Amino acid sequence: MKILVGYKRVVDYNVRITVKPDGSGVATEGVKLSANPFDDIALEEALRLREKGVATEVVVVGIGPADLQAHLRNGLAMGANRAIHVVAPDAVQPLTAARVFLKLVEKEQPQLVIVGKQAIDDDCNQTGQMLAALWNRPQATFASKVEVADGKARVTREVDAGLETLEVDLPAVITTDLRLNEPRFIKLPDIMKAKSKPIETVEFASLGVEPGDHLRITRYAPPPKRQKGVMVKDVAELVAALKAKGLL
Amino acid sequence: MSERETMEYDVVTVGAGPAGLAFAIRLKQLKQDVRVCVIEKASTIGAHILSGAVIEPQPLDALLPGWRDHPPPICVPAAEDEFWWLTRTGGFRLPTPPQMKNHGNFIVSLGALCAWLAPQAEALGVEIYPGFAAADLLYDDQGAVCGVRIGDMGVAKNGSHKPGYTQGIDIKAPLTVLAEGARGHLTKRLVAKYRLDAESDPQTYSIGIKELWQVPAGRVKPGKIVHSVGWPADSRTYGGSFLYHLDKDRVALGYVSGLDYTDPLYQPYEAFQQWKHHPHVKPLLEGGEILSAGARAIVTGGWQSLPKVEMPGALLIGDGAGLLNVPKIKGTHQAIRSAMLAAEHIAEKSTAAGWDARLRASPAMEELRRVRNIKPGFKKGVYFGMLNAAWETITDGFSPWTWRNKADYGTLEKLGRYEQPKRDYVERTLPPRDRLAGVYFAATQHDEDQPIHLRVADTQVCVTRCAEEYGNPCTRFCPAGVYEMVEDEAGKRLQINAANCVHCKTCDIKDPYEVITWVTPEGGSGPNYQNL
């Protein structure tokens, strides 16, 4: 069984995000980029399924510019068997990504596609669902536990009321939640080994995918700054101040 | 437990700063078939590097001819130089000392410069591994250094192994190059083990605290370089500021305090924040925002403090050796120069032996010899220091004497036994409000559930002797608020907020009882500086 894993590169979660002064985007010059944490969890789950003998091959997929190769090498160092790099000038929006994945699914014929439930840059939470719809296969989103047996996946998901367990026929799409697992540390010798693992490059244009980037971003703005607080002497003053602001 | 994994190289380099990377690049240029790797504790190259930084480009010209055609992302040619004596409300301009004239130099971000150097090294076949901390040294049967041990990952605070525990590997090599920067934790152990400082003065340091600001359009003059002495430092404390105008409405600014300060109540971080409120500086910053901030110890001992830089199986280069030029306030050119020379030495001789003599005969050391008396002169106060600096500059270091250096941990006065300098401080309005707010801009990150990487050999002394004699200076010199004295049911005790640490090494240097030892936390932990 083959597993396809979506492996997006984003601004690292430790980095303090700043908006460019002209509001045209988020500053990325000199900023650390790393794997979307949910995608790291997706890859870890795929690797664990392979270690259990359920899967035989794990393929990581990234969409982006030429320098994405170093990022995919990290996925290979973590343990993926090979990588597919869809070369596009920039990151793409969810519908385009889902269409790209569908093309790769048709070619690779995986039994399982695991992606992060969302990327921490745009927080869209759409690609997995869109892919399932386009592929016309079941989806199990926000997985916190995954068991695969007899052509089915039992997936536990965290919902407001507690835990919900789904059973889906394979092939299927699973999107991962934070508590599914804790990704492993990469070992130095594995980085060496990853250098000889294959990365297949596919030009975006050659896939024949109709771009679905229909959202146009007009402006980025940082959240409003917190106003400086006021010290009050006593309750009476507090009440008066709240009344003056029309809050009481 | 399974056998520890091992990788073998011809040369292992600790630290991917300008020295480590320049060394690897030069060695590969000279000897294509040498297998060399560079280990870096930061999660990404440049994330732990902090410098002003104005650099002299000549060593870079020698290392990478043609670099000017594809310069690093932040690289602004130096324009005008200004040097000021500040008072609380004003100040006057001093003639710029010759060492501080920057015509032909460049203002860079050293972090961005290293991130730009790394792929060039990789293109030559150097293997660079960020996110891995060289936690320990390996020795062979003869007692020679034979590589480094990478720190384990996934160890809990109590020492037990967490589910993801991954044992660090051993990297073995006939030659280990220490390029850790100021107060490297492995270098410190080697200096002690091989008594490398037996014939030199103790090393001395300063602490530099820096912020990168985005300010409203129209205020920045790209290339302008301003240094100051005087306020907010008192006349007995060595302190000075830098302010560099970058492009895109950004300014890099910082404040350097000599760690030979004597007042145990001195707070380097507060001095920096005070200086930002000087009438010359505040209007530039008001309404702007901080992009990134951090702190780092600077090596200042110079010529007389340079330890022996070779030992069996290993050698020291760059700031890790102590090659920074204090009057120029520059170390990058010395780092690259010494690294290239070391690479040439290794390419010819394939052994560390002879490196010490070669470095001492080099122009890098001659540069340090000429200015050797300038920084120590400031121990007698800033006025004497300035006059002495002028004398040493005019005579080009030909004074027949050499001032001695003293270790920084021993310079503090005891509480109540000295006259505390009057601190002429102002009320602050610019961010950050305090050190914790400042640490936020360093984006420092450590897994809380790991052994504390600031090892305090004796915490009893903190509540007894230190509290009484010095009033726990660690709670004041740490720029990240790592050390706190707390009082609870169990009584007074030292609390170490290790997760805040920005890896500046000040505590390892300045703690008066030498009980604090800085060791590497899990690889990849620590600050995430952007363009510092």
Side-chain angles (χ1 to χ4, degrees):
Chain A
M1 178 176 126
K2 189 191 285 183
I3 304 177
L4 223 57
V5 174
Y7 204 58
K8 187 178 180 180
R9 186 178 63 173
V10 296
V11 173
D12 187 85
Y13 68 96
N14 287 310
V15 168
R16 224 177 46 79
I17 301 289
T18 48
V19 174
K20 289 181 191 164
D22 63 1
S24 66
V26 166
T28 52
E29 181 196 306
V31 168
K32 182 188 168 195
L33 303 170
S34 57
N36 175 34
F38 292 106
D39 292 353
D40 257 342
I41 293 170
L43 175 54
E44 175 67 31
E45 197 60 23
L47 296 174
R48 288 184 189 186
L49 287 171
R50 193 185 64 195
E51 282 156 7
K52 281 182 199 150
V54 176
T56 48
E57 190 182 25
V58 175
V59 183
V60 284
V61 178
I63 307 170
D67 67 351
L68 200 69
Q69 297 251 336
H71 159 72
L72 290 171
R73 288 269 172 230
N74 282 338
L76 295 174
M78 230 172 114
N81 298 74
R82 60 192 172 89
I84 301 174
H85 176 198
V86 178
V87 185
D90 231 323
V92 295
Q93 288 178 12
L95 183 57
T96 314
R99 285 175 179 164
V100 167
F101 270 92
L102 183 65
K103 289 285 178 194
L104 299 177
V105 161
E106 285 165 0
K107 182 168 161 256
E108 297 280 340
Q109 296 291 321
Q111 287 292 294
L112 202 52
V113 176
I114 312 182
V115 295
K117 71 167 181 179
Q118 67 195 69
I120 61 166
D121 51 0
D122 55 19
D123 281 343
C124 279
N125 190 337
Q126 294 165 357
T127 305
Q129 294 90 327
M130 285 175 169
L131 170 63
L134 292 172
W135 190 13
N136 203 18
R137 292 301 308 170
Q139 56 177 294
T141 53
F142 314 152
S144 62
K145 190 177 176 195
V146 174
E147 294 159 292
V148 178
D150 308 326
K152 290 182 197 311
R154 273 170 72 88
V155 176
T156 306
R157 36 195 326 258
E158 289 178 23
V159 290
D160 285 350
L163 297 175
E164 179 182 74
T165 305
L166 300 178
E167 196 170 80
V168 292
D169 288 326
L170 300 182
V173 177
I174 293 176
T175 77
T176 59
D177 212 334
L178 205 58
R179 268 178 277 270
L180 178 57
N181 60 48
E182 226 178 283
R184 64 196 61 194
F185 297 110
I186 294 176
K187 288 168 77 175
L188 220 151
D190 293 336
I191 299 179
M192 286 286 290
K193 285 177 203 148
K195 287 185 178 165
S196 53
K197 288 184 181 174
I199 298 183
E200 183 190 342
T201 3
V202 184
E203 288 297 327
F204 178 80
S206 73
L207 285 172
V209 166
E210 185 199 340
D213 291 2
H214 300 308
L215 295 173
R216 194 167 54 84
I217 290 149
T218 52
R219 197 171 74 90
Y220 284 81
K225 281 206 180 83
R226 199 170 149 246
Q227 296 295 313
K228 203 176 170 189
V230 187
M231 292 293 280
V232 290
K233 277 200 292 289
D234 51 26
V235 177
E237 199 181 316
L238 174 68
V239 172
L242 289 173
K243 274 189 178 155
K245 286 185 182 290
L247 294 167
L248 208 69
Chain B
M1 192 180 286
S2 60
E3 181 99 339
R4 197 178 281 269
E5 276 187 77
T6 301
M7 281 167 78
E8 291 189 9
Y9 286 89
D10 297 318
V11 183
V12 54
T13 306
V14 181
L21 292 171
F23 171 83
I25 288 172
R26 188 73 187 134
L27 189 57
K28 272 294 199 183
Q29 286 172 343
L30 294 169
K31 262 184 139 172
Q32 183 48 44
D33 56 337
V34 176
R35 296 191 64 220
V36 49
C37 78
V38 182
I39 305 299
E40 168 58 48
K41 68 182 164 67
S43 61
T44 183
I45 304 299
H48 286 185
I49 280 250
L50 183 147
S51 183
V54 180
I55 62 161
E56 291 185 358
Q58 291 78 11
L60 212 48
D61 290 334
L63 181 69
L64 298 165
W67 72 272
R68 289 165 195 250
D69 300 331
H70 60 103
I74 297 180
C75 189
V76 182
E80 53 196 300
D81 276 299
E82 287 184 10
F83 185 50
W84 285 79
W85 174 272
L86 298 186
T87 63
R88 185 171 182 240
T89 51
F92 47 89
R93 209 173 146 181
L94 298 167
T96 304
Q99 300 96 339
M100 284 163 77
K101 289 196 173 135
N102 285 300
H103 182 73
N105 296 340
F106 291 88
I107 312 176
V108 299
S109 148
L110 196 55
L113 182 115
C114 291
W116 165 88
L117 274 177
Q120 302 188 59
E122 284 177 320
L124 289 166
V126 177
E127 293 175 28
I128 303 176
Y129 297 113
F132 294 93
D136 218 337
L137 291 149
L138 302 172
Y139 300 99
D140 66 13
D141 301 339
Q142 278 83 48
V145 180
C146 68
V148 293
R149 174 162 291 177
I150 302 297
D152 296 350
M153 304 289 281
V155 179
K157 196 165 193 167
N158 62 12
S160 65
H161 293 175
K162 293 191 278 185
Y165 172 75
T166 306
Q167 193 181 46
I169 67 158
D170 282 348
I171 300 184
K172 290 202 169 155
L175 181 75
T176 303
V177 175
L178 283 304
E180 299 178 284
R183 195 69 167 194
H185 81 121
L186 297 181
T187 303
K188 181 183 167 186
R189 286 181 218 180
L190 291 171
V191 168
K193 181 180 166 79
Y194 293 102
R195 299 183 39 79
L196 300 176
D197 58 353
E199 283 160 33
S200 60
D201 283 358
Q203 191 52 271
T204 68
Y205 302 87
S206 293
I207 175 176
I209 306 171
K210 178 181 171 182
E211 290 172 0
L212 177 68
W213 280 65
Q214 181 84 50
V215 299
R219 292 182 190 171
V220 167
K221 288 190 196 164
K224 185 173 172 181
I225 293 168
V226 187
H227 291 105
S228 80
V229 290
W231 188 86
D234 62 89
S235 66
R236 289 172 58 200
T237 307
Y238 181 81
S241 76
F242 65 86
L243 178 64
Y244 303 149
H245 292 240
L246 301 169
D247 52 3
K248 299 179 190 161
D249 299 308
R250 293 178 293 186
V251 278
L253 54 141
Y255 196 84
V256 175
S257 297
L259 283 177
D260 57 353
Y261 68 82
T262 55
D263 176 13
L265 300 177
Y266 183 66
Q267 301 175 57
Y269 193 81
E270 182 59 27
F272 171 45
Q273 298 304 332
Q274 286 290 325
W275 165 76
K276 278 164 59 187
H277 289 76
H278 188 272
H280 287 183
V281 187
K282 195 177 166 192
L284 178 70
L285 303 177
E286 262 179 329
E289 58 167 335
I290 303 172
L291 298 175
S292 195
R296 184 72 172 91
I298 305 165
V299 66
T300 58
W303 188 79
Q304 53 273 57
S305 289
L306 194 88
K308 199 171 165 200
V309 292
E310 68 179 61
M311 66 220 87
L315 55 82
L316 312 178
I317 54 175
D319 273 5
L323 290 167
L324 181 132
N325 180 324
V326 175
K328 279 189 184 173
I329 33 177
K330 290 179 185 61
T332 306
H333 68 293
Q334 292 277 79
I336 298 176
R337 250 167 144 184
S338 63
M340 289 174 69
L341 193 64
E344 283 153 22
H345 178 79
I346 294 306
E348 287 165 28
K349 313 265 193 247
S350 299
T351 169
W355 163 236
D356 190 69
R358 189 154 180 172
L359 177 66
R360 281 174 205 277
S362 75
M365 269 310 265
E366 174 56 19
E367 179 177 324
L368 289 188
R369 193 193 60 78
R370 290 185 187 186
V371 300
R372 71 194 180 283
N373 285 331
I374 293 184
K375 170 73 171 60
F378 284 88
K379 267 192 300 208
K380 296 195 192 291
V382 68
Y383 306 109
F384 179 84
M386 300 273 283
L387 286 172
N388 175 62
W391 163 258
E392 290 291 332
T393 302
I394 294 163
T395 58
D396 200 19
F398 271 102
S399 303
W401 59 81
T402 295
W403 299 90
R404 314 308 310 197
N405 283 329
K406 222 179 111 183
D408 296 318
Y409 73 86
T411 60
L412 287 181
E413 304 269 13
K414 287 185 180 151
L415 285 175
R417 302 233 192 121
Y418 73 109
E419 189 189 343
Q420 203 207 329
K422 194 165 140 273
R423 301 246 171 259
D424 209 2
Y425 282 180
V426 297
E427 194 188 335
R428 297 203 272 112
T429 53
L430 292 169
R433 188 179 63 250
D434 53 24
R435 287 181 291 184
L436 290 185
V439 167
Y440 170 67
F441 295 102
T444 192
Q445 180 272 331
H446 294 82
D447 187 337
E448 298 260 358
D449 189 14
Q450 65 172 309
I452 289 177
H453 72 278
L454 301 145
R455 297 193 183 148
V456 181
D458 175 6
T459 51
Q460 200 50 41
V461 75
C462 309
V463 287
T464 55
R465 275 181 68 197
C466 188
E468 195 180 302
E469 293 181 339
Y470 304 107
N472 300 112
C474 61
T475 61
R476 286 178 291 275
F477 58 57
C478 173
V482 167
Y483 298 94
E484 267 185 282
M485 294 305 290
V486 294
E487 199 152 11
D488 50 26
E489 307 86 62
K492 214 172 158 197
R493 64 183 170 83
L494 176 73
Q495 176 174 304
I496 305 172
N497 308 310
N500 284 353
C501 177
V502 296
H503 297 196
C504 76
K505 320 278 168 66
T506 301
C507 52
D508 193 289
I509 297 163
K510 187 63 178 169
D511 124 55
Y513 300 98
E514 290 187 283
V515 288
I516 302 177
T517 304
W518 189 98
V519 300
T520 46
E522 255 182 16
S525 308
N528 286 286
Y529 295 150
Q530 290 175 37
N531 296 324
L532 288 186

